[in-house]
């Protein structure tokens, strides 16, 4: 009951209450030896820390969630935890990439010596976990379709990180259908947002807005405030990018022909 309440609080945007409830539920599950429930608690904690931007903590908790899922034999939770690992690693990779300016001579020397920059290392970790998830989906996807949905989801975000918008969109569309088949409404909402970001990066702003508005509407209907907030934030980003493109086009039209 505490776990369900914590997950509900997280979706409603009440993160402090969710954190308190899920921490208590985790301790109860651990003392009772209920690995499955403990793993779900670690997964919820990792998701909360991911939302807060505490990426290192989120990665540690996702690892514990995966360990519990493997020990309990839950393929569903293994899939969810591997996906969370992929997303967390990509976010850490992006953070390193944005913090690092151009490559320095020291970094170049490290690469020559076989040492990878932190961002590249995290990206390789994401690719490895995405591949592990794909193999898991191949083995158990027929009986646990959520693993298939998670695998497509992971593929979509990895391809998006690499800038392969066409591949990312294809995987996102397959993921959306798989989440719908699994009756996982949160997954459906998340895939709408992945599709929207992919379309936005590809500069298909009208289609990106449609996908984002679908996520915002469904998130509102289900009272998933965190999803609704993410969708509204993305709508603002789409408007900014679209206005920037229009401004560039206007300046190009006004430029004198030499």
């Amino acid at each position: 009951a505490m776990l369900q309440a914590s997950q509900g609080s997280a979706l409603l945007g009440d993160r402090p209450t969710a954190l308190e409830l899920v921490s208590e539920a985790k301790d109860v599950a651990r003392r009772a030896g209920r690995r499955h429930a403990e793993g779900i608690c670690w997964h919820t904690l990792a998701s909360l820390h991911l939302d807060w931007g505490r990426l290192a903590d989120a990665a540690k908790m996702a690892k514990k969630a995966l360990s519990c899922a493997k020990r309990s034999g839950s393929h569903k939770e293994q899939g969810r935890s591997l996906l969370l690992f992929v997303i967390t690693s990509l976010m850490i990779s992006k953070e390193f990439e944005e913090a690092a300016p151009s490559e320095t001579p020291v970094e170049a020397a490290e690469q020559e010596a076989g040492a990878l920059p932190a961002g590249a290392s995290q990206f390789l970790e994401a690719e490895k976990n995405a591949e592990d998830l794909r193999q898991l989906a191949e083995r158990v996807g027929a009986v646990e379709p959520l693993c298939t949905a998670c695998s497509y989801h992971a593929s979509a975000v990895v391809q998006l990180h690499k800038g392969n918008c066409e591949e990312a969109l294809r995987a996102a569309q397959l993921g959306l259908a798989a989440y719908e088949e699994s009756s996982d409404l949160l997954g459906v909402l998340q895939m709408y947002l992945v599709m929207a970001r992919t379309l936005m990066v590809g500069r298909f702003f009208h289609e990106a807005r449609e996908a984002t508005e679908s996520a915002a509407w469904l998130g509102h209907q289900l009272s998933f405030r965190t999803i609704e907030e993410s969708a509204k934030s993305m709508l603002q980003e789409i408007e900014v990018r679209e206005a920037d493109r229009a401004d560039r086009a206007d300046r190009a039209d006004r430029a004198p022909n030499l």
Side-chain angles (χ1 to χ4, degrees), residues 61-220:
M61 292 170 182
K63 185 175 182 179
K64 291 185 178 183
L66 180 59
S67 175
C68 287
K70 287 180 176 179
R71 293 173 71 178
S72 70
S74 172
H75 292 131
K76 176 181 176 180
E77 292 307 316
Q78 285 182 53
R80 293 176 70 241
S81 297
L82 281 167
L83 173 60
L84 188 59
F85 246 136
V86 170
I87 293 171
T88 304
S89 295
L90 290 176
M91 291 181 69
I92 294 173
S93 176
K94 184 178 180 182
E95 192 174 71
F96 276 118
E97 290 169 3
E98 291 176 346
S102 57
E103 184 180 79
T104 66
V106 173
E107 291 170 334
E110 287 178 342
Q111 284 187 310
E112 289 178 6
L116 285 173
S121 176
Q122 287 293 326
F123 177 72
L124 290 177
E125 184 73 15
E127 282 197 312
K128 175 187 176 299
N129 284 313
E131 175 60 20
D132 288 347
L133 181 47
R134 186 192 66 78
Q135 292 179 13
L136 176 67
E138 279 190 353
R139 293 197 310 271
V140 305
V143 294
E144 188 49 81
L146 184 62
C147 287
T148 301
C150 289
S151 178
Y152 284 133
H153 190 160
S155 177
V157 293
V158 167
Q159 292 300 325
L160 179 58
H161 191 89
K162 293 168 72 173
N164 297 334
C165 291
E166 187 175 340
E167 292 296 322
L169 185 59
R170 184 179 295 112
Q173 290 169 335
L174 291 169
L176 177 63
Y179 276 127
E180 288 175 340
E181 183 183 348
S182 302
S183 300
D184 188 318
L185 292 177
L186 181 58
V188 168
L189 287 165
Q190 291 172 334
M191 289 317 303
Y192 271 126
L193 292 178
V194 172
M195 288 172 62
R197 181 159 295 281
T198 303
L199 289 162
M200 180 181 68
V201 171
R203 299 192 177 191
F204 297 101
F205 296 120
H206 176 72
E207 294 84 350
R209 186 179 294 104
E210 286 184 337
T212 309
E213 287 174 347
S214 295
W217 180 84
L218 186 55
H220 178 74

